[in-house]
Amino acid sequence: MNVTWLRSDTLEVGVIAHGARIVAVRAPDRHGQWGDIALGLADEDAYRRDRDYLGACVGRFANRIAGGRFTLDGTEYRIPLNEPATALHGGTGGFESVPWERAEPRDGSVTLRRTSPDGENGFPGTLQVTVTYTVEGPLLRIEHEARTDAPTVVNLTNHAYWNLAGAGSVEDHEVTLAASHFLPVDEHLVPSGPPAPVADTPFDLRSSQRIGARLREGHPQLRATRGYDHTYVIDGDPDADGLRHAVRVVEPRSGRTLELRTDQPGVQFYTGNMLDGSLVLRDGSAARQGDAFCLEPQAFPDSPNRPDFPSTVLRPGEVYRSRSALRFGTTG
């Protein structure tokens, strides 16, 4: 593969142009031993066949649009369904499945660009999109920008799968999520109502908890999604960079840690529930449910159909921006 590597003394990140994907992240454990902590595939052909969005920029609209249709300024738009009742991550043939133009890296940073033409996958407006990945010491910064020539909807995120141990189950990873509310979903994994309190439910991750601690409880929301696959509404005020602390994850054996800050209102916490063993990873192993987790900063799903959710409408002259920072480290 033609991989662009971004490196610091404590972090290495590999990026390819197909799908503007992160294909590898390497970081040391508490003993200084380096390891791969993001799920990756063997070659570019494998990424072209991938249907699990490994490391990709997903869009135009991350997460699910109910029925693959929405109305904007009085006109209904239809997006090809790639699930029985939803358009997931922009529908069939989204941003993850196309080549991007990659600029020459500089100062630990690389920018990828593409033009999404008017009507692509049913979305209105010609969209100019950039994704920039930057490595600064222990930080991986991800910045999305988009501009349009006609009103449209935009919701972009990165879909990396993480395992801070490098292999095996992530159920012993300890997660803290700064959110007092989450979005319950229906049988199609589309929000079924307004944000609900996490208190007294398995979704209360405001204090550190093993991912697997309550994963198999009989809560109807866990049954509906076969694990965690929900948007959390991030609490708190932004810092001087305009980002809010959202998530901290600790892997106790290796001591590796991951902290996420973002300017987005929500983070989708997903425990790889649809990994069924058919995806063969770079090391030859088969990826299964519980082998990784995703943290996807984004707007609320199905927001084009929900006026009570923050708007995802982008109009000519406006600039869509999404910024996140992931800090990798170790415990004592």
Side-chain angles (χ1 to χ4, degrees):
M1 285 188 292
N2 184 7
V3 180
T4 296
W5 285 99
L6 309 174
R7 292 184 170 95
S8 71
D9 290 342
T10 55
L11 189 62
E12 297 181 347
V13 176
V15 175
I16 65 170
H18 185 80
R21 293 178 187 250
I22 294 173
V23 296
V25 177
R26 299 171 182 166
D29 64 14
R30 64 159 63 94
H31 304 294
Q33 298 297 311
W34 287 67
D36 291 329
I37 58 172
L39 268 59
L41 305 179
D43 52 42
E44 199 155 323
D45 284 342
Y47 282 106
R48 291 191 184 97
R49 296 189 301 269
D50 171 39
R51 296 296 178 266
D52 292 295
Y53 308 96
L54 265 70
C57 171
V58 292
R60 285 188 193 190
F61 200 92
N63 222 307
R64 293 171 171 88
I65 295 177
R69 61 180 64 188
F70 64 92
T71 299
L72 176 60
D73 296 340
T75 299
E76 184 180 82
Y77 296 94
R78 298 191 177 190
I79 314 304
L81 302 184
N82 52 354
E83 292 186 330
T86 70
L88 173 64
H89 298 325
T92 305
F95 284 5
E96 85 290 343
S97 63
V98 295
W100 292 56
E101 178 185 347
R102 177 173 42 187
E104 286 297 316
R106 54 183 302 176
D107 301 326
S109 180
V110 64
T111 296
L112 301 101
R113 297 180 172 86
R114 81 171 301 256
T115 299
S116 175
D118 179 32
E120 182 176 58
N121 263 19
F123 289 98
T126 299
L127 197 72
Q128 306 289 340
V129 189
T130 67
V131 181
T132 300
Y133 299 109
T134 303
V135 168
E136 300 173 353
L139 284 176
L140 167 60
R141 298 188 184 273
I142 304 176
E143 301 184 23
H144 302 88
E145 285 195 4
R147 294 171 172 83
T148 184
D149 65 358
T152 191
V153 294
V154 183
N155 184 25
L156 304 177
T157 194
N158 179 269
H159 205 294
Y161 289 75
W162 304 104
N163 184 322
L164 300 184
S169 171
V170 298
E171 290 196 18
D172 285 335
H173 285 51
E174 298 162 359
V175 61
T176 309
L177 226 159
S180 55
H181 290 78
F182 78 110
L183 295 184
V185 297
D186 63 18
E187 68 273 21
H188 303 302
L189 310 191
V190 173
S192 57
V198 300
D200 301 318
T201 77
F203 297 90
D204 191 348
L205 302 173
R206 290 174 292 179
S207 59
S208 180
Q209 182 176 148
R210 289 177 53 251
I211 288 176
R214 304 182 69 181
L215 196 61
R216 294 172 183 82
E217 289 192 8
H219 192 283
Q221 283 292 302
L222 290 176
R223 290 201 304 268
T225 56
R226 296 183 294 169
Y228 293 103
D229 191 3
H230 295 78
T231 299
Y232 280 77
V233 183
I234 303 306
D235 296 333
D237 297 321
D239 59 20
D241 291 333
L243 307 179
R244 289 179 297 162
H245 171 75
V247 188
R248 174 177 168 84
V249 184
V250 177
E251 201 291 299
R253 290 170 296 169
S254 67
R256 292 192 182 96
T257 63
L258 184 164
E259 297 181 9
L260 169 66
R261 295 179 299 134
T262 182
D263 64 356
Q264 295 300 288
V267 170
Q268 189 83 3
F269 178 44
Y270 172 53
T271 47
N273 313 324
M274 297 183 186
L275 298 176
D276 59 5
S278 61
L279 183 70
V280 179
L281 301 176
R282 182 167 44 235
D283 63 4
S285 64
R288 301 184 183 279
Q289 180 180 9
D291 286 350
F293 63 92
C294 296
L295 300 171
E296 302 164 53
Q298 58 185 273
F300 293 173
D302 201 35
S303 64
N305 299 319
R306 296 290 301 266
D308 53 329
F309 286 173
S311 175
T312 52
V313 175
L314 181 69
R315 299 186 182 277
E318 298 175 343
V319 181
Y320 167 91
R321 289 189 176 92
S322 167
R323 299 185 300 124
S324 299
L326 297 96
R327 178 182 292 271
F328 300 90
T330 58
T331 59

